[in-house]
Amino acid sequence: RKEVEQDPGPFNVPEGATVAFNCTYSNSASQSFFWYRQDCRKEPKLLMSVYSSGNEDGRFTAQLNRASQYISLLIRDSKLSDSATYLCAVNIRPGTASKLTFGTGTRLQVTL
Amino acid sequence: NAGVTQTPKFRILKIGQSMTLQCTQDMNHNYMYWYRQDPGMGLKLIYYSVGAGITDKGEVPNGYNVSRSTTEDFPLRLELAAPSQTSVYFCASSPPRRAGDNEQFFGPGTRLTVL
């Protein structure tokens, strides 16, 4: 089993739709969870951290389910500009120089 | 702040050549990282550093070397380039860990092709 796993997609959704991605992680002791956005041929950029109680930033909601060992990202009212690859990142071995393990990414394509 | 900068943006190497990928950050971050990203794949950690003078291997260190003589700079050296090292290389940095909050900031990447 991969340490951090994502459905590669692509998820093709119409503008205005709601879409959700999950990311599973293998180590129950993992701390620090993040969602990054990566545009084609660009560097990953932090979209949001994921907090235990869940958190929201505008149209984006991130949640953590420790019991089932996954994090999720919900995007409401999708825009064309949301088209990108979304990478989850997990500190699966806390105390190890803040190293993050990244998923392979989920590709989102928002269409008219 | 320029953040994390990387040079060069693109490079083509012949098999057996060597080169150094430069990475500099101006955020006074202790932690720095080198990743490679192959098409359709996630980021693989090559080397990381927790401060000047301290480096350690990541998941895929073979064929690479690093040094960290200053807080700002973390160059990645490729010796005897091989086609398997064709990839996009990202440098990242992270502030000192506080309460588990340790997001990483990435440079724009170096696209390397080895022919």
Side-chain angles (χ1 to χ4, degrees), chain A residues 49-70:
Chain A
S49 303
V50 186
Y51 301 123
S52 297
S53 54
N55 48 301
E56 191 174 302
D57 183 2
R59 297 182 292 109
F60 299 85
T61 300
Q63 293 194 310
L64 166 63
N65 186 318
R66 283 199 181 273
S68 300
Q69 294 180 207
Y70 73 89

Side-chain angles (χ1 to χ4, degrees), chain B residues 13 16-21 34 36 45-47 57-66 75-86 89 112 114:
Chain B
L13 281 182
Q17 286 185 320
S18 61
M19 76 166 293
T20 299
L21 283 67
W34 273 106
R36 61 176 287 173
L45 183 64
I46 304 171
Y47 270 95
K57 295 178 181 178
E59 190 181 348
V60 289
N62 291 346
Y64 307 95
N65 276 302
V66 293
L76 177 72
R77 178 88 179 155
L78 277 72
E79 305 281 4
L80 296 174
S84 60
Q85 293 178 305
T86 294
Y89 291 84
L112 176 67
V114 182

Side-chain angles (χ1 to χ4, degrees), chain A residues 4-8 21-23 33-39 42-50 71-73 84-90 100-108, chain B residues 35 37-38 40-44 90 106:
Chain A
V4 177
E5 203 152 5
Q6 295 181 253
D7 181 342
F21 314 131
N22 285 343
C23 166
F33 306 88
F34 304 92
W35 283 103
Y36 280 79
R37 171 191 168 127
Q38 186 173 27
D39 292 301
K42 298 284 191 181
E43 74 271 25
K45 291 187 177 174
L46 182 71
L47 180 65
M48 57 199 303
S49 303
V50 186
I71 61 173
S72 64
L73 178 67
T85 296
Y86 292 84
L87 305 172
C88 63
V90 179
L100 295 177
T101 300
F102 287 81
T104 53
T106 297
R107 198 164 130 242
L108 172 66
Chain B
Y35 294 91
Q37 186 177 36
D38 300 323
M41 303 294 285
L43 295 155
K44 302 287 187 189
F90 290 106
F106 284 82

Side-chain angles (χ1 to χ4, degrees), chain A residues 79-100:
Chain A
K79 312 288 185 194
L80 292 174
S81 57
D82 294 333
S83 298
T85 296
Y86 292 84
L87 305 172
C88 63
V90 179
N91 184 346
I92 62 170
R93 295 186 186 85
T96 53
S98 299
K99 289 191 293 183
L100 295 177

Side-chain angles (χ1 to χ4, degrees), chain B:
Chain B
N1 281 0
V4 181
T5 57
Q6 292 183 238
T7 56
K9 285 188 168 50
F10 306 93
R11 184 73 185 268
I12 298 174
L13 281 182
K14 293 183 179 177
I15 294 172
Q17 286 185 320
S18 61
M19 76 166 293
T20 299
L21 283 67
Q22 302 291 347
C23 174
T24 300
Q25 54 90 10
D26 62 359
M27 297 175 283
N28 202 32
H29 287 172
N30 284 20
Y31 298 159
M32 295 187 75
Y33 313 85
W34 273 106
Y35 294 91
R36 61 176 287 173
Q37 186 177 36
D38 300 323
M41 303 294 285
L43 295 155
K44 302 287 187 189
L45 183 64
I46 304 171
Y47 270 95
Y48 67 98
S49 169
V50 300
I54 306 169
T55 62
D56 208 344
K57 295 178 181 178
E59 190 181 348
V60 289
N62 291 346
Y64 307 95
N65 276 302
V66 293
S67 59
R68 183 98 182 268
S69 56
T70 66
T71 299
E72 294 79 20
D73 300 307
F74 190 40
L76 177 72
R77 178 88 179 155
L78 277 72
E79 305 281 4
L80 296 174
S84 60
Q85 293 178 305
T86 294
S87 190
V88 181
Y89 291 84
F90 290 106
C91 178
S93 71
S94 179
R97 187 167 180 269
R98 55 182 193 279
D101 185 14
N102 50 1
E103 71 168 280
Q104 293 181 14
F105 300 83
F106 284 82
T110 294
R111 293 184 180 279
L112 176 67
T113 302
V114 182
L115 299 173

